[in-house]
Amino acid sequence: MSKQQRLALAGIFRQLPFTIAGDPAEQRAAMEAALTAIPLPGDVTTTPGVLGGVPVLTIDVEGVDSSRVLVYFHGGVYVLGSARAGAGLAAALGRQAGVRVISVDYRLAPEHPYPAAIDDALAVYRAVLEQTPSSQIALSGESAGGGLVAALLLRLKELGLPLPASSVTLSPWVDLTLSGQSMSSKASADPSVLTPEGLHIRVPDYLGGMDPATPDISPIFADLSGLPPMLIQVGSHEILLDDAVRLAAQAAAHDVEVTLQVTPEVPHVFQAFAAVLDEGETALRGAGAFLRTHFEEKK
């Protein structure tokens, strides 16, 4: 990452007009406007729809294999964000994997606390499973969406449903007890809108009175045995660095095939900034290759 790229990325973060700590309705609108201001590439089509009673956005890049599906979950601390706002990153990952993406507009807290998001994720997965073999389905998500991927995998295992071929999580938020050391040690290095103070405000919105150490709220405390291959990507300049590292350690302890990629000196969900950050493009290519490999293995 060159000095010029660092400066460009710092400028992007300074101009973001939203915060995770503010009024949810106001910040949702600000986030939506900011993240949809840049048009998608001309070869990307997005189609709103409903699967399992849940709103979704189907994202296709020209030439991808629509018989393979990546079910995607946007970030936003379970309170902000939408499939439309996250379509750029989801489309970029679909392009690299060569597959169709179904991005899920799961219900948001505080209006819909736990387990609404997991229930919606499960409903969409069941609907996709009716049309597509599990060996041709993968899961991915960023930040809170990465946590939702892990929670959905736990729910699928509990119910005895067919598991997807693999999962890719980008800077996953998987510890809502906020106990990771990087929550404080990386606070000054992380330039993103994700702050310890903001997370402390948002956690109760999602919990709805539940214990934050509940395994499908904070999957680092879960038994991950039997889950499909996982790729976890994170930047070393993230307050969520320890979330990713401990998730990988927990997966390894339960004999899951897991790959952890820590990219030095990059911020939260750095893959979204691939246009101005070489490491972002490299990470997306690696994630796409991982997904393709495991689709092929389970063909």
Side-chain angles (χ1 to χ4, degrees):
M1 179 167 57
S2 70
K3 182 179 179 180
Q4 185 177 3
Q5 287 179 333
R6 288 175 184 267
L7 291 173
L9 191 54
I12 290 172
F13 279 118
R14 281 196 299 270
Q15 294 171 19
L16 290 176
F18 58 88
T19 170
I20 67 167
D23 174 76
E26 293 177 2
Q27 299 312 313
R28 285 171 192 160
M31 185 178 188
E32 189 82 8
L35 297 186
T36 58
I38 300 174
L40 296 171
D43 63 345
V44 175
T45 60
T46 60
T47 307
V50 175
L51 283 174
V54 179
V56 298
L57 190 68
T58 298
I59 303 170
D60 284 302
V61 180
E62 188 175 333
V64 302
D65 183 353
S66 60
S67 70
R68 290 176 168 173
V69 175
L70 180 65
V71 182
Y72 192 86
F73 303 99
H74 66 80
V77 293
Y78 295 110
V79 172
L80 311 176
S82 70
R84 181 169 172 264
L89 179 53
L93 188 53
R95 182 189 301 277
Q96 293 296 336
V99 299
R100 166 173 285 173
V101 178
I102 294 177
S103 188
V104 182
D105 260 325
Y106 54 89
R107 287 170 292 170
L108 299 176
E111 297 92 336
H112 305 284
Y114 167 89
I118 303 174
D119 290 343
D120 288 353
L122 176 62
V124 171
Y125 185 85
R126 284 184 184 272
V128 173
L129 199 58
E130 291 177 358
Q131 306 169 6
T132 307
S134 62
S135 63
Q136 304 303 310
I137 303 172
L139 305 181
S140 185
E142 86 219 42
S143 196
L148 191 50
V149 166
L152 174 58
L153 287 170
L154 292 170
R155 182 73 68 86
L156 296 175
K157 183 178 75 167
E158 176 188 353
L159 295 173
L161 291 172
L163 296 172
S166 67
S167 72
V168 170
T169 54
L170 314 178
S171 304
W173 186 28
V174 288
D175 177 15
L176 273 69
T177 72
L178 307 181
S179 61
Q181 184 178 357
S182 59
M183 197 63 58
S184 56
S185 66
K186 295 293 182 177
S188 61
D190 192 339
S192 74
V193 297
L194 204 69
T195 63
E197 296 77 16
L199 291 179
H200 278 285
I201 290 171
R202 296 280 77 105
V203 164
D205 289 343
Y206 181 63
L207 292 182
M210 293 291 292
D211 181 350
T214 302
D216 61 355
I217 291 175
S218 296
I220 63 160
F221 303 117
D223 177 355
L224 304 180
S225 59
L227 297 189
M230 305 169 65
L231 170 64
I232 303 167
Q233 293 183 340
V234 69
S236 73
H237 278 187
E238 296 199 44
I239 61 173
L240 295 187
L241 172 61
D242 280 355
D243 282 50
V245 172
R246 289 180 296 156
L247 179 65
Q250 185 75 341
H254 288 103
D255 301 313
V256 176
E257 179 187 329
V258 60
T259 302
L260 172 66
Q261 296 176 346
V262 181
T263 299
E265 300 182 2
V266 296
H268 186 60
V269 194
F270 64 94
Q271 301 88 343
F273 306 98
V276 297
L277 187 66
D278 291 342
E279 286 87 346
E281 181 66 24
T282 299
L284 284 173
R285 286 200 301 268
F290 178 89
L291 290 165
R292 290 196 305 273
T293 294
H294 289 93
F295 278 132
E296 292 295 341
E297 286 181 352
K298 298 203 172 189
K299 197 169 182 179

